[in-house]
Amino acid sequence: MAIQDFTAGQILTAAQMDTLQANDYNWTVSTKTASYTLVAADKGTRVVMNAAGATTITVNDSLFAAGDTLFIQNIGAGTCTITAGTATVTTASSLALAQWGGGTLYFTSAGAAIFFSGGGATYGVATGGSSSSITVGGVNYTLLTFTSDGTLTVTKSGLFDVLLCGAGGGGSGGNGSSVIGGGGGGGAPVQQTIYLTSNAAVDVGAGGAGATGLSGWGTLGFPCVIGSSQINIQAAGGGFGSGYTGGTINTSFNNGASGGGASGGASGYGSTIGNAYLDGVTGKNGGTGNTGASPGGAGGGGGFGGVGGNGSGSTGGAGGAGFDVSAFIGGSALFKCAGGGGGGTTGGSGGSSVGANGSSTTASAAAANTASGGGGANTTGSAGGSGIVYVRFKV
């Protein structure tokens, strides 16, 4: 119940006294079925999340004062994560609440809060991939990195933070003269906190192949998947660069970002990922190929962080920007999921230095585990980079 204002000498009615007493024993409850941002009226109340899929409760500053509290609980099957918006939120437990988890959010100032867990799920322990120790936001984690297919072996049930980056699409080739291939699109990153009690298979997607000549297009990057009987999360692969007809989405894989258009071709199209586990992640468009020069520069592939550049004159468009995974794994900036450069007499640069560069002849492939698009070329396009899967848990 929100705080009420009374005046000196005011006589309270029986209804007002009943309301005050009721809130002492049974807090005012508001139930949410989708991600929610706290408002000032939530002070002193119980916010209940009840959703089948993953949700967030966002905490912003200048809404609450030092000493204010509210209770947050999750009764839904989907994990609810308390997320710092413009405020800071710290805890000794976890901000990811599995079903039946909850606790008190206590504000130490208008812009800072502490979450005191009232019980519920804690982080688990697992092995697999390559292991390292990291610190993110002052919190110590064990990080497991999968660069190829493997098994996440759960030795203690609990919560795990996962970040999956789908593989990049392949770039396309041209006819050696007037038509030059576009760059491949970057894959999609997907981040969630999941609760596991048993092992999970980890499938790391392969990068899409580059096309030779005008035999077709590059191919789609393949998705990265982490799955068990309890959960299945998929990060989609990127779209392919185009030959004659422009980049294309593929609904069967729900690609993360589209390939660039060939010189003489139309723009590629980013896709809105429709898989329920991907929670509406959207890729970016590929660039348009130039029709005003012979040969004209082809469009760069879309990256997860930005659209692909258009071909200009005989220079290929740059690949779209990637996604910085350092917020999850710590350390300095590290980009994945960028677009490949379009082919041209001067090839376009790959996005964020991890997408493959375009070329006037045969483009070089994107590096393994960059989840980025291959470069387009005047003869042979290059392959996209394979995906990568990160899993971390608190220590």
Side-chain angles (χ1 to χ4, degrees), residues 167-171 183-187 207-210 218-222 237-241 257 340 366 371-375 382-385:
T219 60
L220 293 166
F222 289 89
F240 45 81
S372 296
S382 72

Side-chain angles (χ1 to χ4, degrees), residues 77-99:
T79 299
C80 175
T81 303
I82 300 170
T83 304
T86 54
T88 60
V89 182
T90 55
T91 186
S93 54
S94 171
L95 297 178
L97 305 179
Q99 191 173 31

Side-chain angles (χ1 to χ4, degrees), residues 292-326:
S294 183
F304 188 79
V307 299
N310 297 331
S312 175
S314 59
T315 300
F323 171 77
D324 185 2
V325 300
S326 64

